[in-house]
Amino acid sequence: MNNAVDYTLQGEIAVLKAQNPPVNALGYDVRIGLIAGIERAESDGARAVLIYGDGQTYFAGADIREFGQPMREPALPEVCYRIEASPLLVVSSLHGTALGGGFEVALSTHYRVAVPSAKVGMPEVQLGILPGAGGTQRMPRLTGTQAALDLITTGRHVGAAEAHKLGLIDKIADGTPLENGLAFAQELLEQGAPRRVTSELPASEALDFDAIYETTLKKGRGQVSPAVAVRAVQASVELPFSEGMKRENELFMELMATDQRQGLIHAFFSERAVSKLPELKGVAPRDVTAMGVIGGGTMGAGIATSALLAGLDVTLIEMNANAAEAARGRIEGNLGGALKRGKISADKYEAMTTKALVLSTDYAALGDVDLVVEAVFEEMSVKKEVFAKLDAACKPGAVLATNTSYLDVNEIAASTSRPGDVIGMHFFSPAHVMKLLEVVVADKTAPEVVATAFALGKKMGKVSVRAGVCDGFIGNRILRHYRTVADHMILDGASPYQIDKALTDFGFAMGPYAVADLAGLDIGWAMRKRLASTRDPRERVTKYIDKICEAGHFGQKTGMGYYDYSGGKRGGVPNADVMELITAERAELGITAQDFNDADIVRRYMAAMVNEAARVVGEGIARRPLDVDMTLVFGYGFPRYHGGPLKWADLQGLPDLLADIRSYSESDPYFWQPAPLLEQLVAEGRTFDDLNK
Ligand code: 3HC
Ligand code: NAI
């Protein structure tokens, strides 16, 4: 025995209590402890064995930290075999989350009882692998093929009631896991219930696995693990159990060796590490229960919605009564969507839109709020005017946050008498849906104000990333750089449609030009006009799209942009005028169009993204590469299975990327200046990930 699994004999029942906090992951010590516990129960003369987890959960899965390292025996499938083969009656008592390898252990025990709040599932595909300890072979034997395919290819967690209905657990009971487990084991012994060995149950029904494989592959948008998992389930139907286990293991090892597995596991840990800031250790956030929002346009309404959904009271200030009414309409529309999807009850909707929400045109209404997010027009003079009013109206200690996309938060802070309370909280559109929150820390922002923004982000269900002050912070600054290289490729011979296709094939939900149409072409147009006077003459700028804007075409909202939406928003087809204008501009500049294949496009786009990201990290705007990775994954549709741009760069090899950047720089040395941090990492033979440790 060891400390990870505690053994006691309680009457005729041997009790194995896993104690590996925080989530009882099935690391080496737990695996050893489980086998030792079963052996001891058998030699102690017990009639049954109960397995359960100490603390907040049953086993939440294999220990992900062991992946990529040499496996120490016994591996989890052996542990499951040993448990299942025991001549004693083995029962699991589930609470918390029984996931992945954890649920595979449960499926290899002979019976399962769970508390009503327990959740079970096989989330392995979300880590780029598949259930590798018999889950793909045992689960279909209990649920049938269709349900097993659903659970295994989506990785979704199911509650105890649904799991019971599917045949995955045998009983739901209130009580502690120990009480439930002992009572159920006792009951089974009294009934003389036989050991029920899942692997000996008949195989489930055959389906058209080739068709399911193809559909799943397509749905994965490039992510392969769900489709490969289909083949493992297929093996459970077509092969005897032991052969199916071999096939599952081959496929598991295949996926374990992929870059996608590395990317997804990097994302898993980075998502958790991103909001842990060493400087905030021991710093208490201020209490936030009442929030002010200034401006109820696209962003203000979304932010207010998100705050209401998180249980906060919201006071929203608009310029006049009409604008306030319009803001109310937007918020009610957003909350109405949540009501329709069953995310909130009718009572909650009623309370949120009446008691919890106040609209006003008078800043005096903000006297009691704990934090304000300003979301007015993106114009420094307007922001300063608003912050002066907030300074006068808000109580001492209230946090004053701006949602600005690009403007200098230090300058905004300096326009108040309390710069220590000023911070950037940069939400993404639609703010009640998008998970990313950039917390922009200005020079004088107090640590507890930073802690407050992170705490509020958590309450609102956001992934919060710390950013420093610069034009565009982390995300928009990098975005501008890779968008620019896409425009350069168009001047040199690629089409917007080819670029969009190459990037959606890479895994982005949408290509940059489809995104531009969705966001509105007027935004970029206004920005180009604003920047025109300060541009470096060496900068290459496209002009053709201004002509589309001048004709009143701003993308989806006007029905025409890069794409023509006359057939509906979803069915945009290339706008023929765009290619004509591009051809004319190339002719004017004397450019002969070159051929770009999809790989060239992805390579240049990603090189620009990585190079600027390296500058953002090198300058300390992002503290760690993983902060950039999570920004792009949660705010910019970067495919999670590549881990983020800097994880992707590590997997490609930094020397090759730097060599590409140097070769691109031969024709455009102004744009393609290698980031000093990238050069340094290559010179030292290190990776971006080394900087995350
Ligand atoms: N292995 C190692 N560490 C794990 C882990 C795991 N399987 N699951 C969670 N952790 C760690 C987290 O990294 C975190 O560490 P930190 O405190 O140092 O940041 C800590 O445990 C707590 O996790 P959360 O912050 O996520 O806690 P929550 O309470 O919010 O969520 C959870 C708990 C639902 C269990 C969530 O952690 C989770 O989804 N974990 C992953 C579950 C999973 O994917 N299991 C399958 C693993 S693969 C497998 O089993 C292969 C098998 O088929 C062979
Ligand atoms: P918007 O134009 O939709 O809304 C701005 C609102 O502010 C309008 O309703 C206007 O009436 C109100 N307003 C203006 N001055 C005001 C004042 N003095 N007092 C009270 N209300 C006032 O603009 P949007 O898109 O919501 O942007 C707001 C801010 O959010 C900008 O700083 C923008 O850069 C930023 N942002 C925008 C994103 C987007 O995708 N639209 C994403 C992230 C940030």
Side-chain angles (χ1 to χ4, degrees):
M1 294 308 307
N2 59 30
N3 290 336
V5 178
D6 175 67
Y7 177 94
T8 49
L9 189 60
Q10 306 205 12
E12 294 178 310
I13 304 169
V15 178
L16 308 191
K17 175 174 70 170
Q19 33 193 33
N20 185 23
V23 297
N24 287 321
L26 286 150
Y28 171 71
D29 286 345
V30 180
R31 298 197 301 274
I32 289 275
L34 282 173
I35 290 195
I38 293 283
E39 280 170 358
R40 183 157 163 200
E42 288 167 5
S43 63
D44 265 358
R47 287 179 65 209
V49 180
L50 164 65
I51 299 178
Y52 81 103
D54 195 20
Q56 59 176 4
T57 186
Y58 189 77
F59 309 104
D63 189 337
I64 304 171
R65 287 170 213 275
E66 290 181 353
F67 292 180
Q69 293 169 23
M71 173 49 85
R72 291 173 76 190
E73 301 290 337
L76 200 53
E78 283 170 52
V79 176
C80 291
Y81 269 129
R82 183 64 186 85
I83 291 171
E84 195 178 51
S86 175
L88 308 182
L89 188 84
V90 190
V91 174
S92 280
S93 180
L94 314 182
H95 76 299
T97 44
L99 299 174
F103 196 44
E104 290 174 299
V105 169
L107 294 185
S108 66
T109 65
H110 305 134
Y111 291 92
R112 290 159 290 282
V113 57
V115 295
S117 60
K119 288 207 156 72
V120 307
M122 299 281 182
E124 283 90 341
V125 294
Q126 293 167 1
L127 300 172
I129 52 173
L130 51 74
T136 64
Q137 308 302 299
R138 288 191 178 92
M139 188 188 269
R141 287 176 154 83
L142 288 165
T143 62
T145 313
Q146 194 69 56
L149 279 170
D150 166 38
L151 294 189
I152 291 170
T153 61
T154 63
R156 75 184 175 92
H157 301 180
V158 300
E162 187 180 351
H164 184 244
K165 218 158 103 196
L166 288 171
L168 288 168
I169 55 180
D170 305 294
K171 183 174 178 161
I172 300 178
D174 279 314
T176 66
L178 177 61
E179 289 163 1
N180 287 344
L182 285 175
F184 190 42
Q186 199 60 50
E187 187 184 316
L188 291 165
L189 286 177
E190 280 163 18
Q191 288 168 1
R195 290 161 62 253
R196 202 192 43 197
V197 177
T198 314
S199 64
E200 290 173 1
L201 296 174
S204 54
E205 77 278 13
L207 297 172
D208 183 350
F209 290 107
D210 287 347
I212 296 169
Y213 174 86
E214 289 305 330
T215 322
T216 312
L217 193 60
K218 217 163 159 192
K219 235 163 91 195
R221 284 218 198 99
Q223 186 181 332
V224 296
S225 51
V228 175
V230 172
R231 295 304 190 199
V233 172
Q234 179 177 4
S236 83
V237 172
E238 295 174 354
L239 301 173
F241 183 79
S242 61
E243 293 299 308
M245 285 297 287
K246 277 192 205 139
R247 184 75 186 124
E248 178 192 84
N249 184 253
E250 277 164 23
L251 296 169
F252 178 81
M253 296 313 283
E254 217 172 80
L255 288 175
M256 201 51 124
T258 59
D259 284 355
Q260 291 196 4
R261 187 272 297 171
Q262 292 200 50
L264 285 163
I265 286 179
H266 171 76
F268 177 87
F269 286 118
S270 299
E271 189 177 347
R272 285 159 177 79
V274 75
S275 52
K276 289 190 184 129
L277 305 185
E279 74 267 29
L280 294 187
K281 238 187 176 160
V283 179
R286 295 179 189 163
D287 276 344
V288 178
T289 54
M291 179 163 155
V293 177
I294 317 300
T298 311
M299 291 308 290
I303 294 164
T305 307
S306 182
L308 289 164
L309 288 169
L312 299 168
D313 288 335
V314 174
T315 303
L316 189 147
I317 307 289
E318 254 295 350
M319 294 208 288
N320 53 51
N322 280 347
E325 244 347 271
R328 174 176 283 284
R330 282 184 204 107
I331 296 168
E332 288 181 352
N334 293 340
L335 290 173
L339 174 66
K340 223 167 71 221
R341 285 192 301 278
K343 294 219 154 150
I344 51 171
S345 65
D347 286 354
K348 274 256 162 74
Y349 174 87
E350 187 60 27
M352 283 177 189
T353 50
T354 53
K355 272 188 279 172
L357 174 65
V358 173
L359 286 117
S360 177
T361 54
D362 184 359
Y363 281 70
L366 298 172
D368 284 332
V369 300
D370 306 303
L371 179 145
V372 185
V373 181
E374 163 279 311
V376 302
F377 303 134
E378 184 78 343
E379 189 58 61
M380 185 55 93
S381 59
V382 184
K383 303 273 190 205
K384 282 185 172 171
E385 202 184 304
V386 168
F387 271 77
K389 288 187 191 161
L390 293 177
D391 201 7
C394 294
K395 67 185 181 188
V399 172
L400 310 182
T402 172
N403 183 48
T404 181
S405 306
Y406 290 96
L407 300 175
D408 182 346
V409 185
N410 283 318
E411 195 177 335
I412 296 173
S415 71
T416 72
S417 65
R418 35 174 141 173
D421 291 333
V422 177
I423 193 164
M425 287 182 73
H426 183 217
F427 293 84
F428 289 73
S429 181
H432 57 297
V433 176
M434 293 294 288
K435 294 269 280 178
L436 181 65
L437 172 66
E438 276 183 306
V439 175
V440 186
V441 180
D443 293 348
K444 294 192 176 154
T445 311
E448 76 262 23
V449 170
V450 182
T452 307
F454 271 91
L456 180 60
K458 189 165 180 202
K459 206 170 188 179
M460 293 168 91
K462 305 296 178 195
V463 173
S464 307
V465 179
R466 184 201 186 280
V469 177
C470 69
D471 196 23
F473 318 122
I474 298 176
N476 281 346
R477 170 168 163 185
I478 297 171
L479 164 75
R480 188 184 285 169
H481 205 71
Y482 62 79
R483 266 306 313 267
T484 300
V485 85
D487 287 343
H488 291 175
M489 287 191 274
I490 287 180
L491 284 181
D492 293 335
S495 84
Y497 315 108
Q498 189 191 1
I499 290 176
D500 276 359
K501 162 131 192 347
L503 292 164
T504 48
D505 286 352
F506 176 77
F508 278 95
M510 290 169 87
Y513 296 101
V515 170
D517 270 1
L518 181 67
L521 300 180
D522 44 332
I523 298 178
W525 191 30
M527 165 113 64
R528 285 191 297 280
K529 285 193 264 191
R530 179 159 69 83
L531 295 177
S533 59
T534 54
R535 273 193 202 289
D536 190 292
R538 290 168 295 179
E539 222 175 305
R540 302 177 70 201
V541 191
T542 51
K543 294 203 200 88
Y544 69 91
I545 198 64
D546 294 347
K547 298 197 175 97
I548 298 281
C549 293
E550 281 157 20
H553 302 311
F554 296 146
Q556 281 198 13
K557 61 186 166 191
T558 61
M560 184 78 89
Y562 284 100
Y563 295 84
D564 176 344
Y565 300 93
S566 44
K569 278 189 179 169
R570 291 194 168 269
V573 294
N575 170 0
D577 293 347
V578 168
M579 277 323 295
E580 231 172 78
L581 289 166
I582 290 171
T583 310
E585 188 166 342
R586 284 184 198 141
E588 200 182 304
L589 294 168
I591 295 172
T592 311
Q594 3 160 345
D595 275 343
F596 281 88
N597 62 31
D598 288 1
D600 296 333
I601 289 171
V602 168
R603 197 78 189 162
R604 276 188 186 245
Y605 195 75
M606 287 304 302
M609 192 183 301
V610 170
N611 202 31
E612 190 64 9
R615 267 194 282 270
V616 162
V617 176
E619 291 169 21
I621 298 299
R623 288 268 174 83
R624 301 159 295 186
L626 68 85
D627 294 322
V628 171
D629 285 342
M630 294 304 97
T631 301
L632 272 290
V633 166
F634 286 102
Y636 295 82
F638 188 91
R640 185 181 171 98
Y641 61 79
H642 291 308
L646 295 179
K647 182 67 190 178
W648 177 88
D650 281 349
L651 290 167
Q652 299 304 301
L654 300 188
D656 285 354
L657 257 176
L658 181 60
D660 282 351
I661 291 171
R662 288 191 172 132
S663 78
Y664 303 149
S665 148
E666 284 164 20
S667 54
D668 185 353
Y670 175 74
F671 182 81
W672 290 106
Q673 299 170 36
L677 178 64
L678 181 58
E679 289 183 313
Q680 185 191 333
L681 289 175
V682 171
E684 293 170 356
R686 298 168 77 207
T687 63
F688 284 110
D689 212 15
D690 290 335
L691 306 179
N692 286 325
K693 308 222 161 87

